[in-house]
Amino acid sequence: MILELEDISTFYGKIEALKGVSLYLEEGEIVTIIGANGAGKTTILKTICGLIHPKSGKILFRMRSIERLSPDKIVQLGISLCPEGRRIFPTLTVLENLKMGAWARNNKKEIEEDLERNFNLFPILKERINQKGGTLSGGEQQMLAIARALMSKPQALLLDEPSLGLAPKMVEKIFEVIKEINQEGVSILLVEQNANLALRIANRGYVLETGRFILIDYGYKLIEKEKVKSAYLGG
């Protein structure tokens, strides 16, 4: 098991955003979390990454407790977050953004190899290599955000709403790339508003409602559940 959350409770002030959440991610899996806005999906990812520390519970990465570590230490261990809203550096070029993703690495040869790997995944980024991030289209910025997260060479990649605001064709492209990244050996925890697509590529899925998981099952089985159909699939 690469990542495990055990009975995590996270607060914003006096408000309990996560209420005893438990989750696991096996090596090589895609696991997706779906739920309404405000359910706590992003809070789970922020808690894993050390941007918020839980009040109680444990987070284990390869059996090591990480819930009190700082975000930079967590990145260095092998967890990377591609945040909601992309959060690229708009005044930096595509190349500079990508190199920022490799800030914790020293081996220049490996960094260059991973730059090329990202350009193979996202050929448009190579065409835009000297263009400032803020001038890219929404889809190109999302590609850049994912590629930047990959530049830290993660073992576990956390994706927060990668399809948000994108045209349907671009959404399909992003999901194809997510599958390709996973096939290369990266375990993926995916928070996604497009429940149908997310559950179709996921090994397992979790349905979050007001800080608690109410359903957990294989992705293909969750698609068939009436509660999921009516609430998240437009059934």
Side-chain angles (χ1 to χ4, degrees):
M1 193 175 300
I2 190 167
L3 180 67
E4 186 173 13
L5 278 64
E6 298 178 355
D7 202 24
I8 289 292
S9 293
T10 298
F11 285 72
Y12 292 110
K14 293 183 178 180
I15 299 171
E16 190 176 14
L18 300 178
K19 305 167 184 177
V21 164
S22 295
L23 170 153
Y24 69 92
L25 177 66
E26 295 277 13
E27 195 88 45
E29 274 193 318
I30 298 176
V31 168
T32 191
I33 304 171
I34 64 172
N37 288 339
K41 304 185 299 296
T42 294
T43 301
I44 291 175
L45 301 188
K46 286 183 175 180
T47 303
I48 294 169
C49 292
L51 297 169
I52 311 168
H53 292 304
K55 186 172 183 180
S56 61
K58 283 193 171 185
I59 303 173
L60 303 173
F61 181 68
R62 297 199 177 283
M63 305 306 293
R64 173 179 175 174
S65 179
I66 65 169
E67 70 273 359
R68 297 296 160 200
L69 295 183
S70 60
D72 60 308
K73 297 295 183 189
I74 290 171
V75 170
Q76 290 174 55
L77 283 176
I79 299 176
S80 187
L81 171 66
C82 179
E84 181 180 1
R86 298 141 199 169
R87 305 289 180 88
I88 62 160
F89 300 102
T91 61
L92 299 184
T93 66
V94 166
L95 181 60
E96 289 166 340
N97 267 277
L98 293 174
K99 287 186 173 180
M100 287 293 286
W103 64 270
R105 300 172 61 186
N106 298 312
N107 188 315
K108 290 184 178 180
K109 182 175 181 292
E110 288 186 359
I111 291 171
E112 289 299 322
E113 287 172 353
D114 285 336
L115 279 171
E116 281 307 311
R117 191 171 292 115
N118 272 309
F119 289 144
N120 286 333
L121 272 176
F122 303 108
I124 192 67
L125 295 183
K126 189 161 192 177
E127 294 177 27
R128 306 274 194 271
I129 191 167
N130 294 314
Q131 194 169 320
K132 289 189 176 180
T135 66
L136 301 178
S137 70
E140 291 165 353
Q141 287 188 20
Q142 186 61 66
M143 292 176 183
L144 178 57
I146 294 172
R148 182 184 59 186
L150 290 173
M151 285 302 296
S152 69
K153 212 170 183 65
Q155 300 163 50
L157 176 63
L158 315 185
L159 296 169
D160 196 356
E161 303 284 13
S163 78
L164 189 64
L166 302 183
K169 281 191 177 179
M170 184 57 69
V171 172
E172 288 178 15
K173 169 65 177 173
I174 292 296
F175 272 81
E176 285 171 11
V177 169
I178 290 171
K179 288 191 287 185
E180 191 170 341
I181 292 166
N182 178 246
Q183 287 161 6
E184 290 180 357
V186 180
S187 304
I188 294 173
L189 183 58
L190 170 65
V191 163
E192 176 54 50
Q193 60 163 354
N194 192 325
N196 190 27
L197 275 177
L199 291 172
R200 287 187 188 283
I201 70 166
N203 298 92
R204 293 178 297 107
Y206 291 75
V207 181
L208 189 68
E209 199 169 274
T210 57
R212 288 189 177 92
F213 288 129
I214 59 166
L215 288 171
I216 303 167
D217 211 329
Y218 295 109
Y220 72 92
K221 287 188 176 181
L222 282 177
I223 289 173
E224 298 305 319
K225 292 188 182 292
E226 286 305 320
K227 186 174 180 66
V228 175
K229 283 182 179 179
S230 61
Y232 306 107
L233 302 177

